[in-house]
């Protein structure tokens, strides 16, 4: 037991840590970034191509052979064009990320790839003979050389006119195309002549034939998925030879001329890729049968496709790509499945696969067809699925705990989530997206997130009646940064992750440090993105699974300064939150997108007036305008808070968040406002300092109570 505990601790604290570190280093590499981005970009094409193949197989089974052939040719055409598409997307990503000319990079890359393909192939349709490895290799070399040379041109000819630079770049582009074509052509035509005959023969018959090579084969097909690369596409040429050999062997076996081989493409399809590469049907079943799993959002788009062994939504949506935790079972499960199935077949517990079955035929059904209806094979199929679930389960649990306890490391993964995929049709949006991504990676590598708390004060006695949780970034050098970085997460549609982290951490701090202070409200900010996120109520349920400490209430502040795209849905969500005992506050009222119907549309308990209304107090009519806004808010029977109060004069006029001076406070109170928040009272403070403030606040309250008695 002690040894097991030591191994588990080492695995979590050393191995997983090293993988996370390696992932960060890898994804900061331009080549890796472009490979992952281009792999993600062709996912829709890969899914469409797979669905066409599924339809083709179904059409063939029902007797529509002409239609099946037409669909198969269509999916094959998509397959042929994927390397060109991937090369183009790689050029697009590299150009945008490094702020180069998209047209220039696309032109040079496509021309180089076509020239290389023509030099390798003598076929008239040579551009259809390009493979994914060739496209990747060409893209890496061309983009790297072109980017480096453009940098040198800018450096050396910085003072020259644009025309001179363009002329130099034009001739270098021709040179790049010619150079890459020559190198690739030389490798293609002359490398094999330098290789001994037995190695050449081995490469031509590199499909698996023994137990060990078969195990290596399935592992190598899974590993590229860490970078988003489809193993099927990378091994396409090998698989073609493998399939031809297997079909010939099955035909010879039926004729009685040969023994049936254990290994074949059908063997891997039936036993090792159940639900898709990685045997992800087992993972999907783990998620389905795990109560309150944080990954349940992926079930909807994944289950229908998993039936036909298509798992791109699961791989890119969970994700598996660039995920150092889940890539382990993704490789391990197929390997274990291979060992079990190979052993069972070699010991004649189940028959060898004797019927060719397409990989898109659903699991169990494909086993039934491939083994001529063997019940033992069906039972083994279920056993392998169950074993896969047992392997995936602890890794999924570890991944969930890791995200929960270290949100600053997992708030945003590389651009592998399908929902975060940039719109390549809008180059400006793409640039902003990549810039935001860079800032997020810099934040994650330079420090971590912490919470500060800013008290809200009742003006009549200046007692603290609540506090707002505010996120800050603490650098490795100890520097505390304000939340200006939130705009980058907003651009990446990742605000829900930030809001959920703040919510969970704030309530955790409350239970650990603030539970003995009573009669208080804990406020947390929530963006419009978060209000319509399907995970919201799961997070709320988890947070409130235990009651809040006595006398405490949770308050959600919806940010009025951001546009609400689905007001009806937001109103329904807020109503449900109210039913759970959560208070609702409208933050930054008067700052941006608000309309008067916000006051009647949403079930508000508190309205926080923006600091801009306080600043306007010094202008003619500013105080009167503030008083009218306050009266309007009070009609809704909401508490009114004013932000940014810095002076007593401002404070006397209205209760507004952000009171910073005695003059502001005086103005706030003259407007009939009872609550305030701002620098005049307290700046945002870390948890240890806020505890000291609350101690003094309680002591003052007790002293006042004694004087009254």
């Amino acid at each position: 037991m002690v040894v097991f505990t030591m191994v588990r601790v080492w695995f979590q604290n050393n191995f997983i840590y090293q993988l996370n570190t390696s992932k960060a280093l890898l994804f900061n590499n331009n080549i890796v970034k472009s490979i992952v981005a281009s792999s993600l970009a062709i996912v829709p094409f890969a899914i469409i191509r797979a669905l066409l193949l599924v339809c083709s197989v179904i059409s063939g089974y029902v007797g529509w052979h002409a239609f099946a052939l037409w669909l198969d040719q269509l999916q094959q055409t998509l397959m042929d064009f994927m390397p060109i598409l991937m090369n183009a997307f790689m050029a697009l990503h590299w150009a945008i990320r490094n702020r180069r000319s998209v047209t220039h990079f696309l032109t040079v890359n496509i021309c180089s790839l076509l020239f290389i393909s023509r030099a390798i192939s003598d076929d008239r349709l040579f551009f259809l003979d390009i493979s994914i490895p060739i496209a990747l290799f060409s893209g890496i070399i061309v983009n790297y050389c072109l980017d480096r040379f453009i940098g040198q041109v800018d450096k050396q000819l910085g003072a020259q006119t644009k025309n001179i630079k363009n002329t130099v770049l034009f001739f270098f582009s021709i040179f790049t195309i010619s150079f890459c074509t020559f190198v690739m052509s030389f490798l293609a035509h002359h490398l094999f002549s330098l290789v001994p005959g037995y190695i050449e023969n081995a490469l031509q018959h590199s499909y698996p034939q023994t137990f060990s090579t078969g195990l290596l084969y399935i592992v190598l097909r899974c590993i590229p998925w860490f970078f988003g690369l489809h193993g099927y596409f990378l091994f396409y040429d090998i698989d073609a030879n493998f399939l031809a050999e297997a079909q010939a062997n099955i035909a010879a076996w039926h004729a009685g001329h040969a023994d049936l081989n254990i290994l074949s493409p059908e063997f891997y399809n039936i036993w090792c890729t159940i639900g898709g590469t990685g045997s992800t049907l087992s993972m999907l079943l783990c998620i389905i049968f795990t109560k309150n799993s944080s990954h349940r959002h992926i079930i909807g788009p994944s289950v229908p496709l998993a039936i036909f062994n298509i798992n791109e939504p699961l791989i890119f949506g969970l994700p598996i790509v660039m995920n150092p935790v889940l890539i382990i079972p993704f490789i391990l499960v197929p390997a274990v499945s291979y060992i079990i199935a190979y052993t069972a077949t070699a010991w004649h517990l189940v028959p060898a696969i004797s019927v060719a079955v397409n990989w898109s035929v659903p699991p169990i059904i494909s086993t039934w067809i491939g083994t001529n209806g063997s019940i033992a094979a069906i039972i083994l199929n279920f056993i392998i699925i169950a074993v896969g679930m047992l392997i995936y389960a602890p890794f999924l649990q570890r991944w969930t705990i890791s995200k929960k306890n270290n949100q600053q490391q997992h708030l945003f993964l590389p651009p592998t989530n399908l929902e975060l995929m940039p719109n390549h049709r809008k180059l400006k949006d793409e640039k902003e997206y990549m810039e935001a991504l860079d800032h997020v990676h810099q934040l994650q590598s330079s420090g971590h997130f912490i919470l500060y708390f800013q008290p809200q004060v009742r003006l009549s006695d200046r007692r603290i009646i609540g506090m707002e949780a505010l996120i800050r970034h603490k650098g490795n050098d100890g520097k505390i940064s304000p939340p200006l970085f939130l705009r980058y997460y907003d651009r990446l549609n990742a605000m829900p992750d930030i809001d959920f982290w703040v919510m969970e951490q704030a309530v955790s701090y409350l239970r650990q440090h603030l539970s003995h202070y009573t009669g208080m409200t804990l406020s947390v900010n929530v963006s419009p993105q978060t209000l319509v996120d399907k995970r919201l109520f799961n997070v709320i349920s988890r947070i409130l699974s235990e009651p809040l400490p006595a006398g405490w209430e949770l308050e959600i502040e919806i940010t009025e300064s951001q546009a609400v795209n689905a007001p009806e849905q937001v109103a329904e969500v807020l109503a449900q939150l109210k039913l759970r005992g959560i208070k609702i506050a409208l933050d930054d009222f008067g700052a941006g997108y608000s309309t008067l119907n916000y006051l009647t549309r949403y079930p508000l308990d508190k309205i926080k007036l923006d600091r801009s209304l306080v600043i306007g107090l010094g202008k003619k009519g500013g105080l009167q305008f503030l008083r009218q806004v306050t009266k309007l808010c009070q009609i809704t029977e909401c508490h009114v808070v004013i932000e940014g109060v810095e002076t007593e004069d401002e404070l006397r006029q209205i209760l507004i968040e952000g009171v910073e001076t005695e003059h502001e406070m005086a103005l706030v109170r003259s407007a009939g406002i009872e609550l305030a928040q701002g620098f005049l009272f307290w700046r945002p403070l870390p948890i240890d300092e806020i505890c000291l403030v609350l101690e003094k606040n309680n002591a003052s309250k007790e002293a006042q109570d004694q004087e009254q008695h």
Side-chain angles (χ1 to χ4, degrees), residues 517-542:
Y517 306 108
T518 59
M520 307 276 280
T521 299
L522 175 65
S523 300
V524 293
N525 290 283
V526 171
S527 71
Q529 293 178 22
T530 306
L531 290 175
V532 297
D533 192 289
K534 295 180 179 179
R535 298 170 292 172
L536 175 62
F537 286 102
N538 288 335
V539 174
I540 293 292
S541 298
R542 185 167 62 249

Short mmCIF file of all heavy atoms in Angstrom, two decimals, residues 517-542:
data_model
loop_
_atom_site.label_atom_id
_atom_site.label_comp_id
_atom_site.label_asym_id
_atom_site.label_seq_id
_atom_site.Cartn_x
_atom_site.Cartn_y
_atom_site.Cartn_z
N TYR A 517 -17.78 35.91 10.62
CA TYR A 517 -18.35 37.25 10.46
C TYR A 517 -19.76 37.07 9.87
O TYR A 517 -19.93 36.37 8.88
CB TYR A 517 -17.50 38.10 9.52
CG TYR A 517 -16.05 38.18 9.93
CD1 TYR A 517 -15.06 37.52 9.20
CD2 TYR A 517 -15.66 38.91 11.06
CE1 TYR A 517 -13.73 37.58 9.58
CE2 TYR A 517 -14.33 38.97 11.44
CZ TYR A 517 -13.37 38.30 10.70
OH TYR A 517 -12.06 38.37 11.09
N THR A 518 -20.75 37.71 10.46
CA THR A 518 -22.13 37.45 10.06
C THR A 518 -22.78 38.71 9.47
O THR A 518 -22.24 39.82 9.57
CB THR A 518 -22.95 36.99 11.27
OG1 THR A 518 -22.90 37.99 12.29
CG2 THR A 518 -22.40 35.68 11.82
N GLY A 519 -23.96 38.47 8.86
CA GLY A 519 -24.72 39.59 8.30
C GLY A 519 -24.05 40.23 7.11
O GLY A 519 -24.09 41.45 6.94
N MET A 520 -23.44 39.42 6.24
CA MET A 520 -22.65 39.95 5.12
C MET A 520 -23.13 39.36 3.80
O MET A 520 -23.77 38.32 3.74
CB MET A 520 -21.17 39.60 5.32
CG MET A 520 -20.62 40.00 6.67
SD MET A 520 -20.09 41.71 6.71
CE MET A 520 -18.51 41.55 5.93
N THR A 521 -22.76 40.05 2.71
CA THR A 521 -23.05 39.60 1.36
C THR A 521 -21.73 39.44 0.60
O THR A 521 -20.88 40.33 0.63
CB THR A 521 -23.94 40.61 0.61
OG1 THR A 521 -25.18 40.74 1.31
CG2 THR A 521 -24.21 40.14 -0.81
N LEU A 522 -21.59 38.31 -0.08
CA LEU A 522 -20.42 38.07 -0.92
C LEU A 522 -20.84 38.24 -2.37
O LEU A 522 -21.70 37.52 -2.87
CB LEU A 522 -19.88 36.65 -0.70
CG LEU A 522 -18.71 36.23 -1.61
CD1 LEU A 522 -17.48 37.08 -1.34
CD2 LEU A 522 -18.39 34.75 -1.43
N SER A 523 -20.23 39.21 -3.06
CA SER A 523 -20.59 39.51 -4.45
C SER A 523 -19.50 39.01 -5.39
O SER A 523 -18.31 39.18 -5.12
CB SER A 523 -20.76 41.02 -4.64
OG SER A 523 -21.77 41.52 -3.81
N VAL A 524 -19.94 38.39 -6.48
CA VAL A 524 -19.01 37.96 -7.52
C VAL A 524 -19.55 38.43 -8.87
O VAL A 524 -20.75 38.46 -9.10
CB VAL A 524 -18.82 36.42 -7.54
CG1 VAL A 524 -18.11 35.95 -6.29
CG2 VAL A 524 -20.15 35.71 -7.69
N ASN A 525 -18.64 38.81 -9.76
CA ASN A 525 -19.02 39.30 -11.08
C ASN A 525 -19.21 38.13 -12.04
O ASN A 525 -18.42 37.18 -12.04
CB ASN A 525 -17.95 40.24 -11.64
CG ASN A 525 -17.93 41.56 -10.88
OD1 ASN A 525 -18.76 42.41 -11.08
ND2 ASN A 525 -16.95 41.70 -9.99
N VAL A 526 -20.22 38.22 -12.87
CA VAL A 526 -20.50 37.20 -13.87
C VAL A 526 -20.77 37.88 -15.20
O VAL A 526 -21.57 38.82 -15.27
CB VAL A 526 -21.71 36.33 -13.46
CG1 VAL A 526 -22.13 35.42 -14.59
CG2 VAL A 526 -21.38 35.51 -12.22
N SER A 527 -20.10 37.43 -16.25
CA SER A 527 -20.27 38.02 -17.57
C SER A 527 -21.50 37.45 -18.26
O SER A 527 -22.00 36.38 -17.89
CB SER A 527 -19.03 37.74 -18.43
OG SER A 527 -18.98 36.37 -18.77
N PRO A 528 -22.02 38.12 -19.30
CA PRO A 528 -23.14 37.56 -20.07
C PRO A 528 -22.83 36.19 -20.66
O PRO A 528 -23.71 35.35 -20.78
CB PRO A 528 -23.37 38.62 -21.16
CG PRO A 528 -22.87 39.89 -20.58
CD PRO A 528 -21.70 39.50 -19.73
N GLN A 529 -21.56 35.96 -21.05
CA GLN A 529 -21.18 34.64 -21.56
C GLN A 529 -21.47 33.54 -20.54
O GLN A 529 -21.96 32.46 -20.87
CB GLN A 529 -19.69 34.60 -21.90
CG GLN A 529 -19.25 35.46 -23.07
CD GLN A 529 -17.74 35.36 -23.27
OE1 GLN A 529 -17.11 34.41 -22.85
NE2 GLN A 529 -17.16 36.38 -23.89
N THR A 530 -21.16 33.84 -19.28
CA THR A 530 -21.31 32.84 -18.23
C THR A 530 -22.77 32.55 -17.94
O THR A 530 -23.13 31.40 -17.64
CB THR A 530 -20.60 33.33 -16.95
OG1 THR A 530 -19.24 33.65 -17.27
CG2 THR A 530 -20.63 32.27 -15.87
N LEU A 531 -23.62 33.56 -18.02
CA LEU A 531 -25.04 33.38 -17.70
C LEU A 531 -25.72 32.41 -18.66
O LEU A 531 -26.71 31.77 -18.29
CB LEU A 531 -25.76 34.73 -17.72
CG LEU A 531 -25.41 35.69 -16.58
CD1 LEU A 531 -26.10 37.02 -16.78
CD2 LEU A 531 -25.80 35.08 -15.24
N VAL A 532 -25.22 32.30 -19.88
CA VAL A 532 -25.84 31.38 -20.84
C VAL A 532 -25.01 30.11 -21.02
O VAL A 532 -25.31 29.30 -21.89
CB VAL A 532 -26.05 32.08 -22.21
CG1 VAL A 532 -27.01 33.24 -22.07
CG2 VAL A 532 -24.72 32.57 -22.78
N ASP A 533 -23.98 29.94 -20.17
CA ASP A 533 -23.16 28.74 -20.24
C ASP A 533 -23.90 27.59 -19.56
O ASP A 533 -24.43 27.73 -18.45
CB ASP A 533 -21.82 28.98 -19.54
CG ASP A 533 -20.81 27.88 -19.82
OD1 ASP A 533 -21.00 26.77 -19.29
OD2 ASP A 533 -19.85 28.12 -20.57
N LYS A 534 -23.94 26.43 -20.21
CA LYS A 534 -24.69 25.29 -19.69
C LYS A 534 -24.11 24.75 -18.39
O LYS A 534 -24.77 24.01 -17.66
CB LYS A 534 -24.73 24.18 -20.75
CG LYS A 534 -25.50 24.57 -22.00
CD LYS A 534 -25.52 23.43 -23.01
CE LYS A 534 -26.31 23.83 -24.25
NZ LYS A 534 -26.34 22.75 -25.27
N ARG A 535 -22.86 25.10 -18.09
CA ARG A 535 -22.23 24.59 -16.87
C ARG A 535 -22.59 25.39 -15.63
O ARG A 535 -22.26 24.97 -14.51
CB ARG A 535 -20.72 24.59 -17.04
CG ARG A 535 -20.20 23.69 -18.16
CD ARG A 535 -18.71 23.94 -18.41
NE ARG A 535 -18.49 25.25 -18.98
CZ ARG A 535 -17.29 25.81 -19.15
NH1 ARG A 535 -16.21 25.14 -18.78
NH2 ARG A 535 -17.15 27.00 -19.71
N LEU A 536 -23.26 26.53 -15.79
CA LEU A 536 -23.47 27.46 -14.69
C LEU A 536 -24.16 26.80 -13.50
O LEU A 536 -23.69 26.88 -12.36
CB LEU A 536 -24.29 28.67 -15.17
CG LEU A 536 -24.70 29.67 -14.08
CD1 LEU A 536 -23.46 30.28 -13.42
CD2 LEU A 536 -25.58 30.77 -14.65
N PHE A 537 -25.28 26.13 -13.74
CA PHE A 537 -26.04 25.58 -12.62
C PHE A 537 -25.34 24.38 -11.99
O PHE A 537 -25.53 24.11 -10.80
CB PHE A 537 -27.46 25.23 -13.07
CG PHE A 537 -28.32 26.46 -13.28
CD1 PHE A 537 -28.57 26.92 -14.55
CD2 PHE A 537 -28.82 27.16 -12.20
CE1 PHE A 537 -29.34 28.05 -14.76
CE2 PHE A 537 -29.59 28.30 -12.39
CZ PHE A 537 -29.85 28.75 -13.67
N ASN A 538 -24.54 23.67 -12.75
CA ASN A 538 -23.72 22.61 -12.15
C ASN A 538 -22.71 23.20 -11.19
O ASN A 538 -22.48 22.66 -10.10
CB ASN A 538 -23.01 21.80 -13.24
CG ASN A 538 -23.95 20.90 -14.02
OD1 ASN A 538 -25.00 20.51 -13.51
ND2 ASN A 538 -23.59 20.57 -15.24
N VAL A 539 -22.10 24.31 -11.59
CA VAL A 539 -21.13 24.98 -10.71
C VAL A 539 -21.83 25.53 -9.47
O VAL A 539 -21.34 25.37 -8.34
CB VAL A 539 -20.41 26.11 -11.47
CG1 VAL A 539 -19.51 26.91 -10.53
CG2 VAL A 539 -19.59 25.55 -12.62
N ILE A 540 -22.99 26.16 -9.67
CA ILE A 540 -23.74 26.71 -8.54
C ILE A 540 -24.13 25.59 -7.57
O ILE A 540 -24.00 25.73 -6.34
CB ILE A 540 -25.00 27.45 -9.03
CG1 ILE A 540 -24.62 28.70 -9.82
CG2 ILE A 540 -25.90 27.81 -7.87
CD1 ILE A 540 -23.98 29.79 -9.00
N SER A 541 -24.61 24.48 -8.12
CA SER A 541 -25.02 23.35 -7.26
C SER A 541 -23.83 22.82 -6.46
O SER A 541 -23.97 22.48 -5.28
CB SER A 541 -25.62 22.24 -8.11
OG SER A 541 -26.79 22.69 -8.78
N ARG A 542 -22.68 22.75 -7.12
CA ARG A 542 -21.49 22.26 -6.43
C ARG A 542 -21.06 23.22 -5.32
O ARG A 542 -20.70 22.81 -4.22
CB ARG A 542 -20.36 22.06 -7.44
CG ARG A 542 -19.12 21.43 -6.84
CD ARG A 542 -18.15 20.95 -7.90
NE ARG A 542 -17.65 22.04 -8.73
CZ ARG A 542 -17.95 22.21 -9.99
NH1 ARG A 542 -18.78 21.38 -10.60
NH2 ARG A 542 -17.45 23.21 -10.70
#
